[in-house]
Amino acid sequence: MKKLLLKEKWPELWALLAHEGPLYLPVEEGSVVLYQLWQEGVKVNLEAVNSTVSPKDIFLPREETYLRYSCQGEMLDLEDVESDEPIIAFALHPCDLKAIEMIDRVFLNQDPPDALYKKRRENTTVVALACRQPDPYCFCGVFGIDPTDAPGADVMAYLTEKGLLLEEQTAKGKILLEKAAPLLEVEADETNITVDVKTQDFGLQVEGLPEDLQERFNDPVWDDLFRSCLGCGICTYVCPTCYCFDVEDYGHEEGGERFRCWDSCMFGHFTQMAGGHNPRPSRKERVRQRFMHKLCYYPETYGEIACVGCGRCLRSCPVNLDIVQAIKALGGEKVG
Amino acid sequence: MGKANPLMPQTVTVLDITTETPDVKTLRVAGKEGIPFDFMPGQCAMLSVPPVGEAIFSITSSPHCRDCLEFSIKRVGDVSGVLHELVSGRQLGIRGPYGNGFPVDEMKGKDLLFIGGGIGLAPLRSLIGYCFANREEYGHIDIVYGARSPADLVRKSEIGETWPEQPDSTVYLTVDAEFPDWSGHVGFVPSYVSELAFTPENRIAVTCGPPIMIKFVLQALEKLNFAPEHVITTLEMRMKCGVGKCGRCNLGSVYVCKDGPVFSLAQLNELPSEY
């Protein structure tokens, strides 16, 4: 049964949940909306579709220290850094949750699992928010995603005129709603839930594209497609299904830490080897790698294109070399 | 979390460091109880010296050596540079083993042809050691090994004495050009392989070396009618995680760190040629 949280009680809920552990929700700052830690006074924006950068950093932080080292003379001491807090991820949209499912396949289901990611996934209660009004750049329908339903969430939420309707989907979700119970209206008579949200399709038709691309690594289309790319990497930064990372040390000889951070296949040094050889020496190989990974390599292993139609690369790419343009250039368009 | 975090290294101690060539040194490292983990020939490990960082190296020693791991390392970058400067007794970080290793079971009963160039002998040496330790499982063993100059040949006592003395095995050495102190064969490794005219019947060829050498060795073996399934090589790519996640060594639907680094030529023919 759905329970109503009246608008005027939202801040009380944020405060209550933030007391339990880190609470991430969409926070508006100037022209950007990012999933950030709630604190008194932040401007929470539940209407925003979509956040400027995907909420993947709740599970795969931009930087994450995982070991501290100290070195005295010949002795090296390595100590792992643990983080074990219960996290609440609030108001994640169905496309972004689908993207998390895609990263799960690589980080949880492939042996060995990524321990840092796994811990965060296990410790997080996810409240999904159904989309009421999609953005002009949204095209999740192309990939069969229902913008009003998020099967992987612990709690499903719906925006209404009066507030937020909440419905538990898992045991974790039940616990969360029990904590919030004093703030919820018992009788939720709201039926004003939009269930028929239409997104763009930009004339795309992606069926059969992954199989088609398997033979097109040397296709002449790659000789031109990359030309406008600036190599800025913003596409990978905002993308909810990009997960490449770097590992670096920070410190001095006596002590410091090792961390991992987001990296991008759009950068030249990404594959640059110590001896000077680079298997992806120019933007051509790097642009091809990014789109082939999303549209061909990932589907070859997992059966689905690694794009959820969130529209972030359409909004962010300074030269409009986004995934819609790439799919079109590769022939993934409706005929007629 | 501890051991469960695959990115978390353990510490090992440098037993000694041997200078092989002007730019190659061999490190022997061990944990408190000998080798820090079991492995198979062809597998790799991440070595790290904070704050310089981590890099991946092939394990040079044979799995039969239980008291230490050996790494023959060419000085090319930051991590290899700092590894060259380490001294006996110093501790460093290690994690692994990574990768699939050579198909030692499929190779059983076959004659073996090992073709190495320069530092490319490092992963082959682990395999050669394994095959000699299980000598009765394998047929005749030929080793073709070359380098730019006599000074650049690594593991001189093994290639010059230990291996040629093994039963039913032959070692062919070559250097790229004439040198005053060299009376052996002169010429590039691929042309030496063609010259020696190995027959493909019941034989598996395993090659490792600089990319340009591998390219021409593969062509030479093709001309000698080796089937792509019977030609094996090992790839080298930049890696950060070693467990198929960070994205650097992605090649089509495989990750070289996890699904490789060992591939048959038949497998490589199915993958994008981006290595």
Side-chain angles (χ1 to χ4, degrees):
Chain A
M1 207 189 74
K2 299 182 180 69
K3 288 168 187 155
L4 177 67
L5 177 72
L6 292 168
K7 260 183 194 165
E8 50 271 31
K9 290 190 179 168
W10 288 1
E12 278 180 73
L13 180 73
W14 314 148
L16 181 100
L17 295 181
H19 190 69
E20 301 285 323
L23 166 67
Y24 291 89
L25 33 58
V27 171
E28 187 180 324
E29 262 183 69
S31 60
V32 298
V33 175
L34 298 173
Y35 284 81
Q36 292 189 332
L37 281 176
W38 181 85
Q39 48 192 325
E40 200 70 51
V42 297
K43 189 175 175 191
V44 178
N45 182 344
L46 295 188
E47 300 282 348
V49 177
N50 269 317
S51 57
T52 315
V53 180
S54 101
K56 70 182 172 191
D57 61 343
I58 299 170
F59 308 103
L60 186 63
R62 286 162 216 211
E63 302 102 17
E64 180 171 33
T65 294
Y66 64 88
L67 82 79
R68 287 206 179 84
Y69 67 86
S70 58
C71 192
Q72 286 187 319
E74 296 176 336
M75 304 307 283
L76 174 67
D77 186 44
L78 304 171
E79 182 198 356
D80 57 342
V81 178
E82 300 199 24
S83 112
D84 206 2
E85 291 173 306
I87 301 166
I88 298 167
F90 202 93
L92 271 58
H93 290 283
C95 60
D96 286 334
L97 272 172
K98 180 68 190 178
I100 299 293
E101 185 191 328
M102 289 181 180
I103 299 179
D104 282 353
R105 293 178 186 140
V106 181
F107 279 59
L108 296 185
N109 303 349
Q110 288 281 353
D111 192 47
D114 186 284
L116 304 166
Y117 180 87
K118 187 166 184 261
K119 195 84 171 176
R120 285 173 192 274
R121 284 290 278 134
E122 286 169 355
N123 285 348
T124 304
T125 305
V126 174
V127 179
L129 179 61
C131 299
R132 195 162 62 159
Q133 181 71 53
D135 186 87
Y137 293 116
C138 290
F139 61 111
C140 65
V142 170
F143 304 103
I145 296 165
D146 177 354
T148 65
D149 188 25
D154 298 301
V155 173
M156 192 71 218
Y158 307 85
L159 272 174
T160 70
E161 295 306 315
K162 288 187 189 165
L164 207 50
L165 278 179
L166 301 163
E167 185 178 30
E168 67 200 41
Q169 298 200 131
T170 65
K172 259 190 199 171
K174 188 174 180 212
I175 295 170
L176 185 130
L177 289 191
E178 276 166 5
K179 283 175 189 152
L183 300 172
L184 304 176
E185 307 299 312
V186 186
E187 283 186 38
D189 60 345
E190 294 245 346
T191 49
N192 183 20
I193 305 171
T194 318
V195 289
D196 189 25
V197 178
K198 281 272 178 287
T199 61
Q200 301 284 335
D201 73 4
F202 298 119
L204 300 182
Q205 200 288 101
V206 294
E207 213 185 310
L209 185 64
E211 295 75 15
D212 180 46
L213 288 176
Q214 281 179 18
E215 304 299 323
R216 293 176 61 190
F217 183 78
N218 292 313
D219 195 296
V221 72
W222 302 116
D223 296 332
D224 286 319
L225 191 65
F226 76 96
R227 291 191 188 280
S228 58
C229 178
L230 306 173
C232 71
I234 191 68
C235 50
T236 56
Y237 190 76
V238 299
C239 180
T241 69
C242 275
Y243 52 76
C244 288
F245 63 82
D246 191 9
V247 172
E248 293 290 341
D249 288 355
Y250 177 77
H252 42 79
E253 283 188 14
E254 291 74 31
E257 56 193 46
R258 179 164 297 158
F259 64 96
R260 71 159 164 201
C261 58
W262 290 359
D263 205 346
S264 173
C265 61
M266 294 287 100
F267 298 154
H269 66 74
F270 187 67
T271 47
Q272 172 90 54
M273 292 167 69
H277 177 65
N278 193 341
R280 298 181 208 142
S282 80
R283 279 172 294 127
K284 175 188 163 179
E285 291 83 15
R286 302 197 278 270
V287 166
R288 175 172 61 190
Q289 168 65 19
R290 178 158 193 276
F291 290 127
M292 282 294 271
H293 184 261
K294 302 265 184 239
L295 303 173
C296 179
Y297 308 153
Y298 185 94
E300 202 177 327
T301 307
Y302 301 107
E304 272 186 324
I305 286 177
C307 174
V308 295
C310 72
R312 290 186 179 92
C313 58
L314 282 68
R315 220 186 308 168
S316 302
C317 179
V319 296
N320 297 330
L321 182 54
D322 53 64
I323 195 140
V324 169
Q325 297 310 317
I327 292 172
K328 285 186 171 176
L330 293 163
E333 267 189 287
K334 283 181 187 165
V335 184
Chain B
M1 200 150 59
K3 281 175 190 160
N5 179 358
L7 300 180
M8 192 67 200
Q10 52 179 307
T11 53
V12 282
T13 305
V14 177
L15 303 181
D16 54 57
I17 299 187
T18 320
T19 301
E20 300 273 353
T21 78
D23 58 5
V24 175
K25 287 185 178 180
T26 295
L27 276 78
R28 297 197 313 134
V29 304
K32 283 196 188 81
E33 289 157 21
I35 54 173
F37 44 71
D38 286 318
F39 67 99
M40 289 302 283
Q43 288 194 299
C44 307
M46 279 280 182
L47 300 182
S48 60
V49 183
V52 180
E54 276 188 317
I56 194 148
F57 299 95
S58 346
I59 303 169
T60 316
S61 48
S62 154
H64 294 85
C65 169
R66 305 302 293 173
D67 29 286
C68 68
L69 293 179
E70 293 183 29
F71 295 90
S72 287
I73 293 170
K74 184 171 175 168
R75 182 182 199 130
V76 286
D78 296 339
V79 177
S80 56
V82 71
L83 287 169
H84 271 226
E85 300 305 317
L86 295 184
V87 291
S88 305
R90 175 69 154 81
Q91 288 191 315
L92 67 155
I94 190 168
R95 56 189 179 92
Y98 297 121
N100 55 356
F102 291 105
V104 289
D105 288 330
E106 283 170 46
M107 290 161 63
K108 280 181 185 166
K110 301 279 192 341
D111 292 338
L112 303 176
L113 168 58
F114 297 110
I115 306 165
I119 190 62
L121 191 68
L124 290 183
R125 180 178 169 266
S126 176
L127 177 61
I128 291 169
Y130 178 92
C131 294
F132 281 140
N134 297 280
R135 193 65 196 88
E136 68 288 355
E137 305 267 17
Y138 302 96
H140 184 77
I141 291 180
D142 288 299
I143 299 168
V144 183
Y145 177 55
R148 282 172 299 181
S149 75
D152 289 300
L153 292 165
V154 301
R155 315 298 308 196
K156 287 189 183 67
S157 71
E158 280 168 321
I159 59 174
E161 293 156 37
T162 322
W163 293 347
E165 286 163 13
Q166 296 287 321
D168 202 15
S169 45
T170 319
V171 177
Y172 304 91
L173 300 180
T174 185
V175 294
D176 290 356
E178 301 277 359
F179 285 88
D181 55 344
W182 182 253
S183 57
H185 187 272
V186 174
F188 294 121
V189 169
S191 43
Y192 198 21
V193 169
S194 304
E195 212 175 288
L196 291 165
F198 294 98
T199 53
E201 284 74 34
N202 196 45
R203 181 172 283 144
I204 288 186
V206 187
T207 183
C208 185
I212 190 75
M213 184 211 88
I214 293 185
K215 188 181 162 194
F216 288 112
V217 164
L218 295 180
Q219 286 176 10
L221 291 171
E222 210 174 349
K223 278 201 180 131
L224 293 169
N225 295 316
F226 276 79
E229 294 75 20
H230 296 149
V231 176
I232 293 163
T233 188
T234 171
L235 298 184
E236 203 184 359
M237 285 181 85
R238 188 166 193 208
M239 296 170 188
K240 284 287 185 167
C241 72
V243 289
K245 311 207 193 296
C246 82
R248 276 173 183 67
C249 69
N250 176 223
L251 204 58
S253 61
V254 309
Y255 285 85
V256 173
C257 67
K258 189 162 147 287
D259 306 301
V262 176
F263 294 96
S264 72
L265 181 56
Q267 289 171 312
L268 283 187
N269 288 342
E270 296 296 311
L271 292 171
S273 54
E274 206 170 55
Y275 38 83

